[in-house]
């Protein structure tokens, strides 16, 4: 089995690819448009230099080669999502080509990287098969897309998922892509179980990729088993029904009648400029993980911290001030968990590094137990505030006072006669159960070490 991908990534430039309209997601349809991006006759494109820079960054990160110069072409087709009946894209000379990306040590060849404009968004009123009419939103028309084309190097859906996760991380670290924008990564896949290649278009999101590919693989395998002929065609992924449907017999690239886009100049890609961009490339997740490991951080913690650039960035600022291991454990564990639970990324919280420094220092110095620190963390992720101020208004400081803890232990032992019997008959877990009960009674504030010590003496 062979799978190849075409990944379309919406670049996060300020403006669109060929006009000055803002490149942002707005609810109100058809408000961020101009003569060019709705395709009025006579309007001319102007190339966004920042988008070219993004393309170069991606090419560099994926170990590609660059042509000395490039140009754009018109891909002609008639469809309402492109008012001028052609899309400006790259065909003859892509911005970058011949790259490679390693996923779990397996090389995946990057055939080419193109820049192109996104068409308008088509909204089917009702379901895609039953809609009586469609609506068009030209806000998306002209958004810069980077198309990343791989060789058919994937042997299964798991490899595809790992590749997309890694690619998404690289693009986010490069600062050219935002995975939180809906539909910012759309995938077409070529799948051949036997000889014939079938293209599945318009898959968005990682989870859908696995579903769409699995469906298509099983469909083709069944046809082979029944001795049926697989047709070379383009199929669409219907995410609602979870099936692929035939869209059209596969057209060849030549059917699009590519012609040179004469309204745009040829673009020279100077070696010096590419070298300059290379020097400014940020550290990517894979490099960060290696550096963290050199700092003595376990690989699985390093991987967890680097899944999101703003989390890694915050970790680096905080870990300078507190114990590195404690910070690593908390960032990979409790902090990440709390963010995930609130469906937030670190950069969206408005968190200040000094707040997390203070919180971790409370644990380091024993002012808070890890349990109460977790509770405080949840508060400051929701509403960033100085942990010291929160501490003043609350009774959450760690309890080490032995008299107070002993009172709680006595109460717990009174309530749990069976656990004492179990403990005395040699059941170790009964002891941990009793410690847990005392912790609960202290509302998470009791110092676990002192509780263990006192409980042992009491038993
Ligand atoms: Zn425009």
């Amino acid at each position: 089995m062979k799978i190849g991908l075409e990944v379309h990534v919406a670049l996060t430039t300020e403006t669109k690819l060929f006009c000055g309209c803002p490149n942002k997601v707005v609810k109100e349809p058809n408000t961020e448009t101009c003569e060019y991006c709705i395709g009025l006759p006579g309007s001319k494109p102007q190339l966004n230099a920042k988008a070219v820079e993004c393309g170069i960054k991606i090419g560099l990160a994926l170990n590609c080669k660059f042509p000395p110069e490039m140009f754009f072409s018109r891909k002609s087709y008639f469809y309402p999502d492109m008012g001028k009946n052609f899309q400006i894209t790259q065909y003859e000379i892509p911005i970058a080509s011949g790259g490679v990306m390693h996923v779990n040590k397996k090389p995946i060849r990057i055939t080419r990287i193109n820049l192109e404009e996104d068409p308008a968004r088509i909204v089917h009123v009702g379901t895609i098969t039953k809609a009586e009419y469609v609506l068009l939103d030209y806000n998306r028309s002209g958004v810069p897309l980077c198309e990343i084309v791989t060789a058919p190097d994937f042997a299964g859906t798991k490899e595809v998922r790992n590749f997309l996760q890694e690619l998404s991380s690289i693009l986010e670290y490069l600062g050219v892509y935002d995975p939180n924008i809906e539909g910012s990564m759309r995938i077409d896949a070529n799948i051949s179980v036997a000889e014939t290649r079938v293209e599945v278009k318009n898959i968005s999101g990682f989870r859908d990729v696995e579903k769409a590919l699995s469906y298509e693989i099983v469909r083709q395998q069944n046809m082979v088993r029944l001795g049926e002929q697989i047709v070379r065609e383009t199929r669409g992924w219907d995410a609602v029904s979870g099936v692929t449907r035939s869209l059209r017999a596969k057209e060849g690239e030549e059917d699009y009648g590519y012609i040179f886009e004469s309204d745009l100049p040829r673009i020279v890609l100077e070696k010096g400029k590419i070298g300059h961009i290379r020097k400014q490339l940020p550290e990517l997740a894979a490099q960060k993980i290696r550096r963290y490991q050199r700092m003595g951080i376990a690989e699985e913690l390093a991987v967890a911290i680097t899944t999101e650039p703003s989390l890694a960035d915050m970790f680096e600022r905080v870990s300078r001030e507190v114990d590195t291991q404690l910070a690593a454990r908390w960032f990979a564990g409790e902090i990440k968990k709390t963010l995930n639970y609130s469906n937030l990324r670190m950069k969206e919280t408005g968190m200040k590094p000094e707040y997390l420094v203070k919180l971790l220092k409370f644990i380091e110095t024993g002012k808070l137990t890890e349990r109460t620190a977790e509770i405080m963390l949840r508060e400051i992720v929701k509403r960033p505030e100085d942990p010291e101020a929160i501490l003043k208004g609350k009774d959450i400081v760690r309890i080490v006072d032995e008299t107070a803890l002993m009172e709680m232990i006595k109460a717990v032992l009174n309530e749990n006669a069976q656990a004492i019997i179990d403990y005395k008959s040699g059941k170790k877990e009964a002891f941990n159960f009793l410690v847990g009960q005392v912790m609960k009674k202290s509302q998470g504030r009791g110092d676990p070490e002192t509780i263990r010590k006192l409980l042992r003496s009491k038993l």
Side-chain angles (χ1 to χ4, degrees):
M1 178 171 30
K2 283 182 179 168
I3 302 170
L5 299 179
E6 290 172 23
V7 185
H8 297 86
V9 177
L11 300 173
T12 48
T13 49
E14 291 285 312
T15 54
K16 291 184 180 179
L17 185 54
F18 297 120
C19 62
C21 292
N23 172 21
K24 63 176 182 198
V25 182
V26 279
K27 280 238 166 70
E28 189 63 26
N30 299 308
T31 47
E32 303 294 347
T33 57
C34 69
E35 300 87 332
Y36 174 76
C37 54
I38 60 173
L40 292 189
S43 61
K44 299 248 191 284
Q46 270 190 312
L47 179 61
N48 180 347
K50 285 278 187 239
V52 176
E53 245 181 72
C54 292
I56 293 173
K57 278 184 190 170
I58 297 170
L60 284 168
L62 301 183
N63 308 295
C64 290
K65 291 170 203 67
F66 299 91
E69 66 168 27
M70 63 169 196
F71 56 85
F72 286 87
S73 293
R74 295 178 178 184
K75 177 182 182 175
S76 303
Y77 68 95
F78 178 72
Y79 208 59
D81 63 359
M82 197 48 98
K84 58 193 189 300
N85 290 344
F86 60 83
Q87 177 192 29
I88 301 182
T89 178
Q90 295 192 297
Y91 180 57
E92 295 84 351
I93 306 178
I95 187 167
S97 60
V100 68
M101 199 178 120
H102 287 87
V103 183
N104 294 336
K105 302 211 169 81
K106 179 178 174 175
I108 302 293
R109 288 169 293 160
I110 306 294
T111 317
R112 54 188 288 152
I113 294 176
N114 308 314
L115 291 176
E116 63 185 26
E117 56 185 340
D118 207 352
R121 195 164 67 93
I122 298 182
V123 182
H124 294 265
V125 179
T127 64
I128 196 158
T129 42
K130 293 200 181 119
E132 283 178 19
Y133 58 94
V134 297
L135 299 173
L136 285 159
D137 180 5
Y138 277 84
N139 285 346
R140 202 184 72 182
S141 170
V143 164
L145 292 183
C146 184
E147 183 189 24
I148 299 160
V149 184
T150 78
D153 287 346
F154 302 96
T157 53
K158 200 163 168 233
E159 283 182 13
V160 168
R161 187 192 57 199
N162 291 340
F163 170 84
L164 290 173
Q165 252 156 9
E166 178 76 21
L167 180 67
S168 169
S169 160
I170 291 173
L171 298 172
E172 201 188 354
Y173 270 94
L174 289 175
V176 300
Y177 156 75
D178 184 349
N180 292 325
I181 298 174
E182 208 191 307
S184 59
M185 186 181 271
R186 301 196 297 273
I187 299 130
D188 301 342
N190 288 303
I191 307 157
S192 26
V193 167
E195 300 288 291
T196 316
R197 211 177 67 177
V198 174
E199 188 180 22
V200 177
K201 274 192 161 318
N202 268 324
I203 315 165
S204 62
F206 295 4
R207 205 177 298 154
D208 262 21
V209 166
E210 271 189 298
K211 275 196 224 152
L213 291 182
S214 302
Y215 177 88
E216 185 55 24
I217 290 165
V218 171
R219 190 189 70 88
Q220 291 186 28
Q221 280 169 341
N222 283 342
M223 289 183 78
V224 171
R225 200 165 27 234
L226 294 170
E228 286 174 28
Q229 189 73 37
I230 295 171
V231 194
R232 189 184 155 119
E233 62 179 345
T234 300
R235 301 177 69 86
W237 168 242
D238 180 345
V240 181
S241 321
V243 298
T244 64
R245 295 180 203 281
S246 182
L247 291 178
R248 52 184 178 261
K250 175 70 186 165
E251 70 283 2
E253 284 293 343
E254 64 276 6
D255 295 336
Y256 286 112
Y258 286 92
I259 52 164
F260 176 69
E261 171 53 78
S262 55
D263 283 337
L264 287 167
R266 283 171 178 268
I267 297 115
V268 178
L269 297 170
E270 288 167 42
K271 280 231 159 66
K273 189 176 177 206
I274 293 171
H276 181 70
I277 295 174
R278 184 194 297 276
K279 273 193 209 119
Q280 291 176 325
L281 283 187
E283 188 183 38
L284 302 175
Q287 298 159 310
K288 266 190 204 295
I289 290 168
R290 281 199 292 277
R291 184 161 60 82
Y292 290 178
Q293 284 183 282
R294 286 197 296 274
M295 287 158 65
I297 295 168
E299 187 180 359
E300 55 176 289
L301 299 185
V303 169
I305 296 166
T306 52
T307 46
E308 197 239 303
S310 66
L311 185 71
D313 185 50
M314 184 64 86
F315 167 71
E316 291 183 24
R317 297 212 242 160
V318 171
S319 62
R320 271 181 231 133
E321 316 277 333
V322 297
D323 178 61
T324 316
Q325 295 300 336
L326 175 72
R329 193 160 55 76
W330 266 71
F331 270 81
E334 242 11 88
I335 295 177
K336 197 174 150 78
K337 215 161 68 187
T338 308
L339 290 170
N340 287 348
Y341 182 75
S342 321
N343 217 347
L344 281 172
R345 312 201 123 211
M346 185 55 92
K347 64 179 173 201
E348 294 163 341
T349 58
M351 181 68 71
K352 290 184 179 162
E354 55 264 36
Y355 293 171
L356 290 173
V357 169
K358 275 190 184 164
L359 182 73
L360 294 179
K361 274 210 191 296
F362 284 160
I363 302 170
E364 248 182 344
T365 55
K367 201 164 193 174
L368 291 182
T369 63
E370 299 225 357
R371 185 77 199 91
T372 43
E374 281 165 24
I375 296 164
M376 186 182 276
L377 175 72
R378 266 175 251 150
E379 278 191 39
I380 63 173
V381 163
K382 250 188 275 160
R383 228 172 333 99
E385 195 186 340
D386 191 332
E388 207 131 30
I390 299 178
L391 205 56
K392 268 185 197 140
K394 276 211 172 80
D395 231 2
I396 55 172
V397 176
R398 187 179 62 137
I399 303 170
V400 283
D401 177 48
E402 301 202 353
T403 328
L405 287 174
M406 197 48 122
E407 284 306 311
M408 294 178 205
I409 288 172
K410 279 183 197 156
V412 165
L413 292 179
N414 277 338
E415 293 156 15
N416 295 281
Q418 185 58 43
I420 303 170
I421 298 167
D422 290 347
Y423 174 74
K424 301 235 157 131
S425 66
K427 281 192 187 149
K428 288 240 167 60
E429 56 276 19
F431 185 76
N432 291 332
F433 168 76
L434 289 169
V435 173
Q437 293 303 305
V438 181
M439 275 304 272
K440 207 167 145 194
K441 213 168 235 357
S442 74
Q443 290 166 317
R445 293 164 55 204
D447 176 50
E449 275 316 296
T450 318
I451 293 173
R452 279 168 196 282
K453 193 188 76 182
L454 293 174
L455 189 61
R456 226 172 258 128
S457 72
K458 187 75 189 156
L459 281 166

